[in-house]
Amino acid sequence: MKKTLSLVLTLFLTVGLASAQSSGSEAKIKATGNNNDVTVEQVRGADNNASIWVSGNQNVVSEYQRGDRNQVLLEVAGGSNDAIRSKQMGDDNAIYVNFRGARPAPVFQSNDVDKNDFLFLQVGKENIFGGAVAGDGNSGQFKQYGTGNTLLGDTDLDGDGVDRYDAQGLMIEGHRNTLRGLQQGRLNTGKIMATGNGNHLRFQQKGQQNYGEILVTGDGNTARVTQGQ
């Protein structure tokens, strides 16, 4: 039987509705086990923060933020999760993903994080997305629409001079993974790094004055960067 954990920030707020609308809200969910349905929605105001940690198999994870200067940290330790979705609508938002079975660290700590399906979407300007996926047979895509979006280099998300996570782009480690990326707009920047065999990477940038890069190490990989209209 599937268990549901849901946090809808228009209804349940850690600091009260009036405060959340003006100064932001913080949501944290930790789910351990299998067949969980995890949802976080933060749909009012700005400066919202969400943290989701899932350990197990065959889970469904959904996160949605609407507004500006929102942040989400999504960590997955497990495999065969049915759908992992994160959507942000607004400006200056940040998504960080860690599919490694371990806390963020400068060196990959690969555990069995296999056969996950994921989609990350950002619509706005100067949004940031990055992180790491370690495992085999994962399939996913990211999409950024707007101007000045970044597939991560800078991890100082709140401007205090401290890097939150070790991520210099989107990192893939493992075999037979499939990743599709899209940036649509102007002045977007992206970097994908992959280590392993039989991975399929496609990075498309639509618009002008964009920069894209894929670095691949291993055998039997395919990598493609497409730029233009």
Side-chain angles (χ1 to χ4, degrees), residues 96 129-132 151-153 166-171 190-193:
Y96 178 79
F129 168 68
L151 186 59
L152 194 60
D166 178 75
Q168 299 300 316
L170 182 61
M171 298 182 288
K191 184 176 182 179
I192 300 172
M193 294 164 287

Side-chain angles (χ1 to χ4, degrees), residues 26-64:
E26 182 174 2
K28 294 183 179 180
I29 288 183
K30 182 176 182 179
T32 302
N34 305 319
N35 296 300
N36 295 301
D37 192 335
V38 178
T39 302
V40 170
E41 294 185 11
Q42 294 171 312
V43 296
R44 291 189 179 183
D47 301 300
N48 296 306
N49 194 306
S51 178
I52 303 173
W53 186 84
V54 177
S55 177
N57 304 308
Q58 298 177 337
N59 297 297
V60 175
V61 181
S62 178
E63 179 274 333
Y64 175 60

Side-chain angles (χ1 to χ4, degrees), residues 98-176:
N98 180 44
F99 293 2
R100 290 190 276 183
R103 298 292 297 180
V107 179
F108 274 118
Q109 302 178 42
S110 302
N111 291 319
D112 293 329
V113 186
D114 301 329
K115 298 180 181 178
N116 294 297
D117 176 71
F118 58 88
L119 169 64
F120 303 102
L121 171 65
Q122 292 175 314
V123 179
K125 62 182 180 180
E126 296 181 359
N127 293 307
I128 292 173
F129 168 68
V133 178
D136 301 331
N138 296 295
S139 178
Q141 57 183 316
F142 69 88
K143 297 181 179 181
Q144 291 178 313
Y145 297 91
T147 302
N149 295 308
T150 304
L151 186 59
L152 194 60
D154 178 18
T155 59
D156 178 13
L157 300 183
D158 54 11
D160 64 356
V162 179
D163 282 356
R164 292 290 177 265
Y165 315 107
D166 178 75
Q168 299 300 316
L170 182 61
M171 298 182 288
I172 307 291
E173 183 178 87
H175 309 301
R176 299 177 303 282

Side-chain angles (χ1 to χ4, degrees), residues 178-196:
T178 300
L179 175 68
R180 289 180 293 166
L182 170 66
Q183 290 179 321
Q184 183 167 317
R186 296 175 57 251
L187 301 171
N188 297 307
T189 302
K191 184 176 182 179
I192 300 172
M193 294 164 287
T195 301

